[in-house]
Amino acid sequence: MNNLPAFEKHAKQEHKYTTCYMCACRCGVRVTLEDGKIRFVQGNPNHPVNRGVLCGKGNAAIMKQYSPAKLRAPLMRKPGSERGSGEFVEVSWEQAMDTLTQRLATIRADDPNKLAFFTGRDQMQALTGLWATQFGTLNWAAHGGFCSVNMAAAGLLTHGYSFWEFGEPDWEQTKYFMLWGVAEDHASNPIKIGLKKLKERGVKIVAINPVRTGYQAIADEWVPITPGGDGALALAFIHVLLSERRIDEEFLIRYTNLSWLVDDEGLFVRDSDGRPLAWCLENNVVMDAQKCDICPALVGEYTLADGRSVRTAMTLAMTQYLDESNSPEAMTAHCGVPAATIRRLARELANVAFSQPVVVNTPWIDSAGRQHESFVGRPVSMHAMRGVSAHSNGFQSCRAIHFLQALLGSMDCPGGHLAKPPYPKHPPAVPKPANRSASGQPLSAPPLGIPRGPEDLAVDAAGKPLRIDHAFSWDAPLSAHGAMHMVIANAARKNPYAIDTLMIFMANLAWNSSMNTDGTVAMLTAKEDNGDYTIPFIVVSDAFHSEMVNYADLVIPDTTYLERHDTISMLDRPISEPHAACDAIRAPVVEPQYNTRPWQEVLVELAGRLQFPVFTGENGAPRYADYKDFITRWEKAPGIGFLAGWRGENGDEPLRGAPNPDQWQRYIDNECFFREELPPSTRYFRFANRDYLQYAKRAGWTESDAPIVIELYSETLRKFQRAGEGMGEHVPPEEYQRRRLREYCRPLPFYYRPLEQARQDGDSYPFYAVTQRPMFMYHSWDSQNAWLRQIAADNHIHINRTRAAEMGIADDDWVWLSSRIGKVAARARCMDGVAADTVWTWNAIGKGAGAWGLAANANESVEGFLLNSLIGEWLPPVNDESPLSNSDPITGQAAWYDLRINITKMRAEEITALSHSSAFATLPNMAQENEKPLRYIAGSAVNLHRTFLDTLFRK
């Protein structure tokens, strides 16, 4: 066909690179612009995360950039209006910043903890955490407490890295892959690329999930598990492996602490220098457990010279896990998987691990100086996420999965689950959290971390919480990411104290990021007897008109990711590959569309105004001109900053070096990412790889080049359990707190029923109910995206087809979903790919009327619903307990997936009587969907004129 028309105006086009923010993957993108506007968005084929692959969300960035839901300017709540009405007046940036500066200055001078600063999926927690540390408030955290802190804390405490961003399956070499609770939005493009590789090689994929959608749909075997039963299944696998002695004993002896001796107190036996001891079988004496030239006993009980009885940690593990209570026949009642299936899967794992090793012929030296000619790996890999994590037993369930990996010897080895730089680190891999604050002073440590023992908790002399979210208290001692979901509830109760200002960035706490949504809204708008709001002042920064914006007193409008500079730092949530250290930036591809500013620029300016020490020069003036200047010049330690690429004065020092004034431009010239490949000898067994440990110390990733011991037996947990037994200097004041520590802080992983489920009548609420984020949307951000709304603009409750038929429910029937705290209306959808006792829906598609630039009668508001409205933030009370959050008792992880509900079909008159909430007011200068069509036209249509014969025969 000749004389084709011009499809693109290439002469008018330019290309810019940046990093996507349509989900948490942080893929590289190539943006084509025409006449200063976005023409289309593509994946960057050179980027380490996505290799050119881009999902529907990434392509739909155009509609996010030009969304009518974007905020236009700073806003103040209209004088005389009620909080929550959505009535605002536009103010200048000068007025907004002056108002915020004055309020924050007063708080900081009086009591910094009266500021509660909490951020959502912001991807810049290193900056917001530093800001909170400099302000001096303990009350800072990000979204992890209601997302996946169980997963992160379990991994960091066990072996110094975890699933999700800190590790990755060896897609190239694994021979058996097991997915645990991974919804289809998790890791998106990287997992899709990896699964494609597995399918091409014929690797068996086993999906453990109550729902078969997304990744589960392409698995070779789907295992429909009872929600909250993952730990039970993992422990049953462990029982089978131990019973049949299909374990990697050499791995356990060499790399874990299971050969260490434990005394009657449950603590490790140590010498006078604090070194753990093991029993040497050659000499029949105790010796330094970490010496390489001893032959330690893995199993055995012994008597020390001083008469104390001791046993190896493995002996305790075998006693626990070989008990019949952990057998497949016992655990099937808790996980819903038949005992025969459990035994078969356990044997499949062992067969691949021990009969099909992977050998990489690269010489390496272990931490003891021993030379090895090759890396030999157990090619079983796993990946786990929120389906395991978002239960109140999720922390111990995640630990059980890691214990299973260790028994198979499949940690950080060829074909196994690999760490990603800057991980692994020495457990628990993060510093202790701050537990004291003072007026006008920075904290002495970051607000978040992991306590090593009861002495590190953020409690006062009486044992009461010092943080508004009760993180690092006796109720949630290892809440490594805070407990964001409890901030509003505790602030409304003034427990442990009243706050002055709640500052929220990019977290929709009035809607899909809260439990008990109706109750949360009531708390946000609650007033004292004198008419003042119980939470006096609320600041919200967001790029869009979320539901939370309507409850603000001051709105700080953020930019979109295509309009700002940003860092994806190894100090934060890294994008590294297993064999390469990577980070990235965002650079503006377009100018801000409205009178908005990046939140990070606002924070840097506020830090200068408030004269934070790190942000203030010797003369009292701001040290940094802006965010870019801060990123360039600030150093965490000599040579270590937010960005690892092109450091040094000449930009020729990777990972560590002096600040480089041209660093931003070097990133832009390299398509906005940096990649430093690890030497081949450092790529596996990094917890005991001499070259890697030295490399990591030089790079500043670790403080020591000593071997990283995999802590399958947790002495940290045992210390908290002992406090529950009344032992030690620091003991909880309340008996219910001591009881919880005794029961849940066990040093070896174990199973217990999710807390809410154990306190509920299963007959009254027979269905487990879970949510998933759809692959085509991310949180609540994208259900206002015109292109993505064409895929789904409402959500259904998905019910097992057989169960639905028994209840007389068909597709699109209206039903009531009821829990112990309320009920919501929903339409039903029947399917085969869901466990019979489980129902599910998409998260965050339901919207508050009038929010997100949508019409008040948009499908999302009329036919969509929010399952959050049925989830109680408090557990049903028992006896002497104070109100306890509906969370994991160890980490404070929000127990989203512990929900149980009842379903009843609506009567005709109930459907007729359905009503909907009143709409939020339209924000100043913002058009709603029905006033301005949500569409984007990039150019004129190009028509092709072809002959009939050409249509038929042209190849």
Side-chain angles (χ1 to χ4, degrees):
M1 188 175 178
N2 299 319
N3 301 319
L4 284 173
F7 293 100
E8 294 289 332
K9 301 174 182 177
H10 293 294
K12 289 189 173 184
Q13 292 179 348
E14 61 175 324
H15 308 288
K16 293 185 178 181
Y17 292 87
T18 190
T19 304
C20 187
Y21 199 1
M22 295 297 284
C23 77
C25 286
R26 296 153 298 170
C27 298
V29 291
R30 181 178 187 258
V31 182
T32 297
L33 297 111
E34 187 175 303
D35 296 328
K37 289 191 174 184
I38 301 171
R39 177 67 176 88
F40 50 85
V41 181
Q42 300 167 288
N44 180 356
N46 301 315
H47 198 275
V49 170
N50 58 315
R51 306 292 183 186
V53 173
L54 197 62
C55 68
K57 297 190 298 292
N59 293 124
I62 295 173
M63 301 312 289
K64 190 166 188 174
Q65 176 62 26
Y66 299 118
S67 167
K70 288 176 69 175
L71 299 177
R72 269 61 165 173
L75 303 171
M76 292 282 286
R77 181 161 54 85
K78 186 177 180 179
S81 69
E82 294 295 313
R83 185 185 287 170
S85 66
E87 297 182 73
F88 293 95
V89 293
E90 189 173 312
V91 297
S92 67
W93 271 104
E94 182 180 10
Q95 183 179 350
M97 294 297 287
D98 287 348
T99 299
L100 190 51
T101 301
Q102 291 165 14
R103 194 166 195 106
L104 294 177
T106 300
I107 293 171
R108 188 167 187 261
D110 175 28
D111 179 0
N113 290 330
K114 289 183 180 179
L115 170 66
F117 176 28
F118 287 78
T119 72
R121 201 61 162 86
D122 60 293
Q123 302 179 10
M124 57 176 177
Q125 293 160 28
L127 171 61
T128 56
L130 174 64
W131 193 96
T133 301
Q134 289 288 297
F135 187 89
T137 181
L138 295 172
N139 293 319
W140 170 82
H143 86 293
F146 64 77
C147 179
S148 56
V149 65
N150 276 336
M151 192 67 61
L156 295 177
L157 271 168
T158 301
H159 57 302
Y161 71 105
S162 70
F163 296 115
W164 192 201
E165 286 143 323
F166 306 152
E168 180 174 293
D170 186 347
W171 301 112
E172 307 291 343
Q173 300 181 98
T174 192
K175 297 181 181 180
Y176 193 101
F177 182 50
M178 186 170 278
L179 280 161
W180 297 75
V182 180
E184 58 193 67
D185 69 298
H186 294 147
S188 194
N189 292 329
I191 280 193
K192 284 181 281 190
I193 295 169
L195 290 174
K196 177 178 179 290
K197 293 177 181 178
L198 300 190
K199 282 293 186 181
E200 289 173 343
R201 293 195 293 112
V203 173
K204 181 171 182 178
I205 301 172
V206 178
I208 299 168
N209 199 307
V211 180
R212 188 168 200 179
T213 60
Y215 308 137
Q216 280 65 228
I218 66 168
D220 298 283
E221 182 172 356
W222 171 50
V223 181
I225 194 168
T226 299
D230 306 88
L233 180 59
L235 293 171
F237 287 156
I238 290 169
H239 178 94
V240 174
L241 296 178
L242 289 173
S243 298
E244 300 181 2
R245 201 165 179 177
R246 303 294 302 279
I247 61 174
D248 191 335
E249 295 183 17
E250 182 180 356
F251 183 95
L252 298 176
I253 291 171
R254 182 168 288 184
Y255 303 127
T256 80
N257 65 2
L258 287 185
S259 64
W260 296 8
L261 294 174
V262 181
D263 64 19
D264 288 337
E265 298 294 325
L267 301 175
F268 289 122
V269 181
R270 299 178 184 273
D271 64 16
S272 58
D273 294 321
R275 292 180 296 228
L277 300 177
W279 189 268
C280 178
L281 293 173
E282 290 179 342
N283 303 324
N284 281 323
V285 295
V286 292
M287 298 185 69
D288 182 352
Q290 294 180 280
K291 279 187 171 293
C292 67
D293 55 353
I294 70 168
C295 180
L298 183 59
V299 179
E301 298 189 42
Y302 306 96
T303 302
L304 301 182
D306 59 9
R308 285 184 293 163
S309 295
V310 296
R311 72 286 307 150
T312 66
M314 183 64 171
T315 302
L316 295 174
M318 291 183 67
T319 300
Q320 177 174 321
Y321 298 136
L322 287 174
D323 188 88
E324 282 303 305
S325 62
N326 287 297
S327 68
E329 288 72 21
M331 286 301 191
T332 188
H334 301 297
C335 67
V337 182
T341 301
I342 296 173
R343 291 187 181 277
R344 174 177 55 79
L345 291 173
R347 289 164 181 159
E348 288 179 4
L349 289 167
N351 179 62
V352 174
F354 302 120
S355 301
Q356 304 177 43
V358 169
V359 179
V360 175
N361 291 312
T362 299
W364 67 288
I365 301 172
D366 67 24
S367 53
R370 293 172 294 212
Q371 179 78 38
H372 302 263
E373 294 306 312
S374 61
F375 294 105
V376 180
R378 311 290 189 190
V380 170
S381 60
M382 300 179 187
H383 189 65
M385 200 48 200
R386 195 177 302 110
V388 181
S389 187
H391 290 285
S392 55
N393 63 1
F395 174 72
Q396 292 286 13
S397 294
C398 297
R399 292 187 68 222
I401 295 173
H402 291 315
F403 201 105
L404 173 64
Q405 290 176 294
L407 290 186
L408 295 168
S410 63
M411 287 180 166
D412 205 43
C413 67
H417 188 257
L418 304 176
K420 298 196 294 186
Y423 298 90
K425 300 185 178 186
H426 298 81
V430 293
K432 299 175 184 179
N435 58 13
R436 293 292 180 269
S437 59
S439 300
Q441 298 297 317
L443 301 175
S444 60
L448 297 182
I450 295 181
R452 276 50 166 180
E455 66 278 6
D456 298 327
L457 292 180
V459 295
D460 65 15
K464 294 183 178 179
L466 291 175
R467 289 177 54 113
I468 193 66
D469 60 355
H470 292 204
F472 310 115
S473 72
W474 293 113
D475 291 340
L478 299 183
S479 41
H481 291 171
M484 184 174 180
H485 59 291
M486 295 307 300
V487 172
I488 293 171
N490 289 333
R493 295 190 309 148
K494 302 180 182 178
N495 183 353
Y497 44 74
I499 64 170
D500 177 89
T501 295
L502 175 63
M503 192 160 72
I504 299 294
F505 171 56
M506 216 175 73
N508 203 2
L509 288 180
W511 199 248
N512 62 292
S513 292
S514 68
M515 294 175 165
N516 182 15
T517 307
D518 293 342
T520 299
V521 166
M523 289 182 271
L524 288 170
T525 56
K527 293 184 177 182
E528 302 293 282
D529 291 340
N530 64 1
D532 293 340
Y533 283 106
T534 301
I535 302 175
F537 197 69
I538 298 177
V539 181
V540 174
S541 179
D542 206 312
F544 302 95
H545 180 200
S546 69
E547 287 84 359
M548 186 65 203
V549 165
N550 299 287
Y551 298 93
D553 300 297
L554 173 64
V555 178
I556 302 295
D558 191 22
T559 55
T560 69
Y561 73 92
L562 295 169
E563 299 171 334
R564 67 168 177 246
H565 291 93
D566 209 348
T567 58
I568 295 87
S569 170
M570 277 192 282
L571 301 182
D572 203 331
R573 309 179 69 91
I575 61 163
S576 295
E577 301 172 277
H579 303 324
C582 309
D583 63 14
I585 67 163
R586 294 189 180 97
V589 299
V590 291
E591 291 297 317
Q593 189 178 3
Y594 301 111
N595 185 21
T596 59
R597 294 183 187 177
W599 177 241
Q600 48 268 63
E601 294 283 8
V602 171
L603 287 180
V604 171
E605 182 178 338
L606 285 171
R609 285 170 170 243
L610 295 168
Q611 296 192 320
F612 293 174
V614 162
F615 291 83
T616 305
E618 294 180 1
N619 60 356
R623 186 186 301 271
Y624 305 108
D626 55 19
Y627 174 73
K628 284 181 62 182
D629 186 37
F630 165 75
I631 293 297
T632 299
R633 295 198 290 127
W634 179 80
E635 293 180 283
K636 180 181 180 181
I640 299 174
F642 271 77
L643 294 173
W646 298 283
R647 300 195 66 81
E649 292 183 5
N650 298 317
D652 54 1
E653 299 177 42
L655 302 181
R656 191 165 192 168
N660 171 17
D662 296 323
Q663 189 178 39
W664 281 97
Q665 189 58 49
R666 296 294 296 271
Y667 271 86
I668 292 170
D669 293 342
N670 198 58
E671 301 178 356
C672 291
F673 70 89
F674 161 77
R675 182 179 186 275
E676 178 75 5
E677 194 164 295
L678 300 184
S681 65
T682 67
R683 294 180 180 178
Y684 303 103
F685 297 111
R686 280 167 278 194
F687 38 78
N689 184 313
R690 188 192 69 180
D691 291 350
Y692 172 78
L693 291 167
Q694 293 175 352
Y695 185 98
K697 183 180 179 182
R698 288 195 302 270
W701 301 341
T702 61
E703 295 180 358
S704 168
D705 58 7
I708 298 167
V709 178
I710 299 170
E711 298 186 8
L712 299 180
Y713 182 97
S714 175
E715 191 172 50
T716 296
L717 286 172
R718 176 58 189 150
K719 290 177 181 178
F720 283 103
Q721 189 182 43
R722 291 180 78 249
E725 295 167 353
M727 303 172 70
E729 183 179 349
H730 302 274
V731 176
E734 303 293 338
E735 171 53 30
Y736 80 86
Q737 295 170 328
R738 296 191 288 273
R739 184 171 62 246
R740 279 163 59 95
L741 294 178
R742 292 194 299 269
E743 177 61 24
Y744 303 119
C745 288
R746 300 187 190 184
L748 289 168
F750 78 108
Y751 170 79
Y752 58 92
R753 284 190 68 195
L755 302 186
E756 183 174 20
Q757 295 175 13
R759 298 178 180 210
Q760 278 191 281
D761 176 10
D763 293 334
S764 299
Y765 303 103
F767 289 98
Y768 301 94
V770 299
T771 61
Q772 296 192 92
R773 289 200 308 251
M775 191 178 289
F776 51 88
M777 292 182 181
Y778 189 67
H779 290 295
S780 57
W781 301 345
D782 296 321
S783 49
Q784 46 89 13
N785 186 301
W787 286 356
L788 300 178
R789 288 183 73 212
Q790 295 177 50
I791 302 173
D794 54 40
N795 55 319
H796 292 69
I797 192 73
H798 295 263
I799 309 173
N800 177 274
R801 192 179 307 280
T802 301
R803 288 295 298 273
E806 293 171 355
M807 300 166 67
I809 295 173
D811 281 346
D812 291 323
D813 281 350
W814 279 100
V815 296
W816 287 115
L817 312 179
S818 57
S819 74
R820 62 183 176 87
I821 70 163
K823 67 178 184 179
V824 296
R827 285 191 183 274
R829 183 65 52 84
C830 306
M831 65 179 292
D832 297 313
V834 60
D837 58 359
T838 301
V839 296
W840 72 276
T841 190
W842 296 126
N843 177 49
I845 287 183
K847 288 286 180 286
W852 297 98
L854 300 177
N857 63 347
N859 274 23
E860 289 85 350
S861 303
V862 175
E863 298 203 3
F865 70 97
L866 201 63
L867 201 63
N868 304 53
S869 300
L870 302 181
I871 305 173
E873 71 270 49
W874 305 108
L875 287 171
V878 173
N879 300 327
D880 59 340
E881 292 177 346
S882 295
L884 291 172
S885 68
N886 185 10
S887 310
D888 189 293
I890 304 170
T891 66
Q893 158 90 55
W896 299 106
Y897 289 176
D898 287 358
L899 177 64
R900 297 197 70 161
I901 66 171
N902 189 27
I903 302 176
T904 54
K905 186 175 179 179
M906 280 192 195
R907 302 188 304 273
E909 59 270 24
E910 291 180 302
I911 298 173
T912 303
L914 281 176
S915 61
H916 304 283
S917 59
S918 57
F920 296 115
T922 302
L923 299 184
N925 300 319
M926 180 176 286
Q928 285 189 324
E929 179 194 42
N930 57 347
E931 300 167 9
K932 186 176 181 180
L934 278 170
R935 63 188 179 208
Y936 177 73
I937 301 174
S940 303
V942 178
N943 296 316
L944 286 178
H945 300 284
R946 301 174 62 186
T947 67
F948 178 70
L949 289 177
D950 180 68
T951 304
L952 287 177
F953 298 112
R954 179 171 165 274
K955 294 181 180 180

